[in-house]
Amino acid sequence: MQTGVLRVLRATAASWWRHKELRRTGQTGQAQRLERETVLRDLGYLKQAATVPDAHVICGEDGTFLHLGCTIVSTFAPIERFPLATLAVARGTPFIDIRPVTDVIAFANLPRVARDGSGDPEPSGSGKSVSLTTYIDMVEVLGAKIANDPRSHQSA
C-alpha cells in the first residue's frame, strides 16, 4: 500500500497549478523540490492521522477537514476531490460525513471534539469539548454517516 500512497501523493503534488507553472517556465528543479516537500508534508499528516488521539475526517457542504489534534488540513472540495483525506480514511481514520445533516442549528450547537482525547465533564455550551466517540454519538443522531467508526473498537 505504501507505493500506492506515494503514487497518489506525487500525482497530487505534480498537479498543483504552481508546480505546473514552474515546469512550464523551465524551472523543473524547483518544481521537483516543492513536490518532494509537499509529499513529505502529506506523509507526515498521514502518520499523524494514524497516531493522534481523536484524529478524524469530516466532510460537509462547505468542504472537507482532516482534524489532527492542533493541526487542521482542509479544502473547500468534497472528500472525493481531496486525496489526502481519502487516503487517511482508506488507512482507517474515522470519517464523519455531515452532508446528510439537515438541522444546521442543532449541528452548530454541538460541542467540538477535544484535541487531546479528553472531554469536558458537562458537554454543553459554548467552548465545550467532548471525545470523538461522544461527538460521533451526537452527530449520528442528526443524520451523519460514519465510516471507520472508533466506537466499534472499544470494549463494552
Side-chain angles (χ1 to χ4, degrees):
M1 171 138 169
Q2 191 67 15
T3 303
V5 169
L6 287 173
R7 187 175 298 125
V8 169
L9 293 178
R10 286 181 183 138
T12 301
S15 72
W16 285 19
W17 71 268
R18 175 73 174 128
H19 301 169
K20 285 182 183 178
E21 185 64 17
L22 287 169
R23 287 180 187 285
R24 189 187 68 75
T25 59
Q27 299 174 49
T28 306
Q30 186 176 2
Q32 289 173 334
R33 183 181 54 76
L34 290 173
E35 289 165 8
R36 267 192 305 277
E37 289 173 6
T38 300
V39 168
L40 289 173
R41 182 202 63 210
D42 287 353
L43 283 171
Y45 289 148
L46 288 174
K47 182 177 180 184
Q48 283 182 289
T51 59
V52 169
D54 289 344
H56 62 284
V57 174
I58 190 164
C59 179
E61 295 298 326
D62 294 328
T64 304
F65 303 84
L66 174 57
H67 291 263
L68 304 167
C70 293
T71 303
I72 297 174
V73 184
S74 65
T75 182
F76 290 116
I79 191 168
E80 295 83 5
R81 293 197 346 249
F82 189 11
L84 179 62
T86 302
L87 286 170
V89 171
R91 295 173 55 108
T93 301
F95 173 56
I96 304 167
D97 187 352
I98 60 169
R99 292 175 287 188
V101 174
T102 56
D103 189 346
V104 294
I105 302 299
F107 177 76
N109 287 321
L110 289 177
R112 62 179 172 78
V113 175
R115 292 181 178 165
D116 61 359
S118 66
D120 294 326
E122 299 284 329
S124 62
S126 179
K128 296 293 182 171
S129 62
V130 295
S131 69
L132 177 60
T133 55
T134 301
Y135 183 81
I136 289 173
D137 289 338
M138 297 169 134
V139 76
E140 194 172 44
V141 169
L142 298 176
K145 303 296 180 209
I146 312 300
N148 300 333
D149 193 336
R151 298 172 298 181
S152 62
H153 300 301
Q154 296 178 343
S155 57

